């Protein structure tokens, strides 16, 4: 299996710094699937090519309890690029994938003229186009003809292999992450057990590009080897990171996906936003706080509704605020719309005078990210100090988790807890009482008779003070 990466950026040999592999040497790595080599067929100032060669060892693949074991020695694995190559890439170019470079940090941040080639790859030209074009690549995928196969032979017909060439001006880290995720997606034969941490790997490698990709449903499903519940959970997290998904109706999935619950599940995030917006409108709120706004998923929905005259996104994480700024494309937003939005950093467990005087506050999927002993401080700062007339809180319903097949722990790696309906109801009622609010409990998402809805929502309304 072979992959080459070429740049014409000058000096082109700087590629060696970005990949942390010196162009004058041959680098070898022992992997569970075989031996990987990195070498440079050309390395001049004008043009430099790094080649990753994976010499698959069928012996090492034997005895694995997966699809490989079936094919044993007589399969195409040693030749056709696949998830094995993706695995090798991940191992051999680890810091480059993370966008880190000790020697050329500025260069690692820059988009460079690149050409990627995978000369033998299972997949179709159409799918290669659908996957790579939206990411800014020019795609040339040439079907590889089979040698003189008689028409009556079972192998007759179009070959399942392509020669893939991608060109574009793209950051090296992004290019490698695109390949890491999309090679196995193109191949669509998953060769290893899909562990729950695959979701995290997918989200990490897909950061900044997967959430907005038009084929994100297909990519996520195939990457997670058709394990629907895991794909659903990943899509929900991607959706949270993608305010544009408000625009994307669930039925943008291709026919192939249409019958799958993923499309419906994906819209849980949308249903949640809709339910929150509806609650805010019912309350007649025009000036609203989105507390723990994260990547700005709700801010995007609020901005679309001109009823909300002043919208404030607050988060403790400056990274989240940067992400929201980028995702909402604040730099390109028309002045009038931009003027309705403020973003600032604040920790919700401390009183902040800037949060006072608003009609409503939302805590969408935030409380479960706090350690339980910090919750009283959060309640004191939001309901006790900021004191908006309405506070809308959503959080997962832990009872519903059994419906997510394959989910073992919590729904997200940063969740500190997930509550049953009784637990959330108990917290909501005692908190409301402590701060002079009335509370109403609602469910969001498809209801299961026994388990309730996947998301639970509490609406606090300030009682008229005597
Ligand atoms: N509301 C967003 C993000 C949910 S993730 C959405 O549903 O898409 C939880 C967010 O809460 C994260 O962005 C995290 O940075 C933020 N957060 C966690 N603890 C916080 C605290 N003490 N103060 C402010 N924000 C906090």
């Amino acid at each position: 299996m072979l992959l080459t990466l070429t740049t014409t950026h000058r000096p082109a040999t700087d590629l060696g710094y970005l990949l942390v592999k010196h162009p004058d040497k041959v680098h070898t790595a022992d992997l569970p699937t075989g031996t990987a080599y990195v070498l440079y067929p050309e390395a001049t100032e004008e043009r430099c090519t790094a080649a990753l060669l994976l010499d698959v060892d069928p012996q090492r693949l034997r005895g694995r309890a997966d699809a490989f074991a079936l094919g044993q020695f007589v399969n195409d694995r040693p030749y056709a690029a696949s998830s094995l190559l993706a695995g090798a890439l991940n191992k051999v170019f680890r810091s480059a994938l993370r966008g880190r470079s000790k020697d050329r940090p500025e260069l690692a941040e820059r988009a460079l003229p690149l050409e990627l080639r995978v000369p033998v790859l299972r997949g179709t030209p159409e799918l290669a186009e659908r996957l790579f074009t939206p990411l800014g690549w020019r795609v040339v995928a040439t079907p590889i003809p089979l040698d003189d196969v008689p028409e009556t032979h079972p192998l007759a017909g179009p070959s399942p292999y392509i020669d893939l060439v991608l060109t574009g001006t793209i950051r090296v880290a992004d290019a490698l992450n695109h390949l890491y995720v999309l090679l196995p997606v193109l191949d669509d034969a998953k060769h290893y057990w899909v562990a729950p941490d695959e979701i995290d790997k997918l989200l990490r490698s897909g950061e900044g590009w997967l959430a907005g990709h038009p084929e994100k449903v297909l990519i996520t499903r195939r990457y997670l080897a058709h394990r629907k519940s895991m794909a659903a959970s990943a899509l929900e997290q991607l959706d949270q990171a993608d305010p544009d998904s408000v625009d994307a109706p669930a039925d943008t999935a291709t026919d192939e996906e249409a019958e799958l619950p993923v499309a419906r599940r994906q819209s849980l995030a949308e249903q949640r936003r809709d339910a929150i917006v509806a609650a805010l409108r019912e309350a007649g709120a025009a000036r609203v706080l989105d507390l723990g706004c994260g990547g700005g998923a709700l801010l995007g929905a609020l901005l679309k509704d001109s009823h909300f005259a002043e919208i404030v996104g607050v988060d403790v994480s400056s990274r989240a605020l940067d992400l929201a700024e980028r995702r909402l494309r604040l730099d390109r937003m028309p002045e009038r719309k931009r003027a309705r939005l403020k973003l600032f950093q604040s920790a919700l467990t401390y009183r902040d005078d800037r949060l006072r005087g608003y009609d409503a506050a939302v805590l969408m999927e935030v409380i479960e990210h706090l350690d339980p002993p910090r919750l009283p401080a959060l309640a004191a700062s939001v309901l006790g100090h900021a004191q908006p007339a309405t506070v809308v809180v959503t959080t997962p319903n832990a009872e519903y988790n059994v419906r997510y097949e394959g989910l073992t722990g919590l729904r997200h790696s940063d969740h500190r807890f997930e509550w049953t309906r009784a637990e959330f109801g108990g917290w909501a009622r005692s908190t409301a009482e402590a701060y002079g609010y009335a509370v109403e409990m609602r469910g969001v998402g498809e209801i299961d008779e026994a388990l309730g809805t996947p998301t639970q929502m509490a609406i606090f309304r300030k009682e008229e003070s005597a």
Side-chain angles (χ1 to χ4, degrees):
M1 294 183 193
L2 180 66
L3 158 75
T4 62
L5 172 62
T6 302
T7 186
T8 49
H9 165 81
R10 295 210 183 178
T13 44
D14 272 358
L15 185 61
Y17 290 110
L18 297 182
L19 299 176
V20 205
K21 297 280 177 286
H22 198 286
D24 292 345
K25 294 200 196 123
V26 174
H27 310 260
T28 313
D30 230 8
L31 305 177
T33 51
T35 310
Y37 302 91
V38 178
L39 51 129
Y40 290 75
E42 59 185 334
T44 66
E45 293 268 299
E46 294 76 38
R47 194 177 156 90
C48 181
T49 298
L52 167 63
L53 183 87
L54 175 62
D55 187 9
V56 174
D57 177 0
Q59 293 283 358
R60 292 189 214 179
L61 296 177
R62 274 182 89 188
R64 285 165 55 127
D66 60 19
F68 279 109
L70 299 174
Q72 300 246 347
F73 297 96
V74 276
N75 64 28
D76 64 5
R77 290 301 148 205
Y79 315 106
S82 69
S83 57
L84 297 187
L85 189 57
L89 190 93
N90 187 34
K91 187 87 180 202
V92 173
F93 297 135
R94 188 169 282 270
S95 39
L97 271 155
R98 305 271 186 280
R100 292 193 208 118
S101 170
K102 204 159 40 77
D103 299 300
R104 294 288 184 280
E106 341 66 51
L107 201 58
E109 284 300 317
R110 274 177 51 193
L112 305 180
L114 297 179
E115 179 182 310
L116 295 174
R117 176 154 183 227
V118 189
V120 187
L121 177 63
R122 273 168 73 108
T124 62
E126 298 72 43
L127 184 56
E129 295 250 350
R130 272 162 63 195
L131 295 177
F132 288 100
T133 310
L135 299 170
W137 292 104
R138 267 187 313 286
V139 179
V140 179
T142 315
I144 301 173
L146 289 170
D147 300 329
D148 299 331
V149 178
E151 262 171 54
T152 49
H153 193 277
L155 281 178
S159 133
Y161 303 103
I162 53 172
D163 174 352
L164 180 69
V165 180
L166 303 172
T167 45
T169 302
I170 288 182
R171 284 192 333 144
V172 168
D174 291 335
L176 294 174
N177 280 300
H178 297 164
L179 283 179
Y180 175 69
V181 172
L182 297 178
L183 284 179
V185 169
L186 252 176
D187 182 313
D188 198 28
K190 200 66 174 185
H191 313 303
Y192 46 86
W193 155 243
V194 182
D197 74 340
E198 286 292 327
I199 295 184
D200 289 337
K201 283 193 200 161
L202 175 66
L203 295 175
R204 191 171 55 210
S205 285
E207 201 180 327
W209 61 271
L210 185 52
H213 196 297
E215 298 292 349
K216 71 178 168 188
V217 175
L218 173 85
I219 295 169
T220 306
R221 272 194 50 228
R222 285 197 173 191
Y223 183 89
L224 296 172
H226 301 270
R227 293 178 58 97
K228 290 174 196 166
S229 60
M230 281 175 56
S233 158
L235 281 165
E236 206 199 311
Q237 293 182 47
L238 281 172
D239 211 28
Q240 288 190 8
D242 178 20
D244 292 346
S245 65
V246 185
D247 292 330
D251 62 10
T252 50
T254 54
D255 288 343
E256 194 195 342
E257 283 100 42
E259 83 282 10
L260 291 159
V262 167
R264 233 183 307 138
R265 195 78 74 207
Q266 178 192 12
S267 68
L268 176 59
E270 292 168 21
Q271 291 178 53
R272 195 187 288 128
R273 287 193 291 263
D274 287 352
I276 291 171
V277 169
L280 293 172
R281 294 204 63 155
E282 273 171 44
R287 304 178 60 241
V288 299
L289 300 163
D290 182 6
L291 304 176
C293 62
L298 180 65
L299 297 174
L302 295 172
L303 278 165
K304 289 211 167 76
D305 187 337
S306 57
H307 183 83
F308 301 108
E310 192 180 336
I311 302 160
V312 182
V314 176
D315 207 287
V316 72
S317 151
S318 58
R319 231 183 119 233
L321 293 168
D322 287 346
L323 183 67
E325 201 171 320
R326 263 186 287 133
R327 295 214 157 276
L328 294 168
R329 307 205 172 91
L330 287 199
D331 52 337
R332 276 185 268 153
M333 193 178 282
E335 189 91 10
R336 275 195 50 194
K337 196 169 176 185
R338 176 70 190 84
R340 288 163 52 216
L341 179 72
K342 273 197 222 103
L343 290 176
F344 64 76
Q345 195 172 8
S346 181
L348 297 171
T349 44
Y350 296 90
R351 294 158 168 243
D352 188 334
D353 287 339
R354 292 173 297 178
L355 305 184
R356 285 171 71 94
Y358 284 85
D359 299 333
V362 178
L363 288 156
M364 174 167 92
E365 308 296 285
V366 171
I367 59 170
E368 64 276 10
H369 290 265
L370 274 80
D371 289 320
R374 308 294 295 147
L375 290 177
L378 172 89
S381 121
V382 177
L383 295 116
H385 188 70
Q387 289 184 24
T390 304
V391 180
V392 181
V393 181
T394 71
T395 195
N397 167 16
E399 292 164 84
Y400 197 88
N401 285 358
V402 295
R403 290 278 299 260
Y404 296 109
E405 175 213 338
L407 177 73
T408 43
L410 302 179
R411 290 187 203 176
H412 188 285
S413 51
D414 188 49
H415 284 179
R416 310 302 160 91
F417 61 87
E418 282 167 4
W419 275 338
T420 62
R421 285 169 291 176
E423 286 168 324
F424 184 47
W427 174 82
R429 275 183 287 275
S430 62
T431 304
E433 194 181 352
Y435 293 102
Y437 283 77
V439 67
E440 176 195 347
M441 308 302 294
R442 290 185 188 174
V444 182
E446 188 192 351
I447 188 155
D448 177 297
E449 282 302 321
L451 307 168
T453 53
T455 295
Q456 34 185 352
M457 178 158 91
I459 304 171
F460 296 83
R461 296 186 185 89
K462 188 138 189 71
E463 291 174 324
E464 300 298 323
S465 38

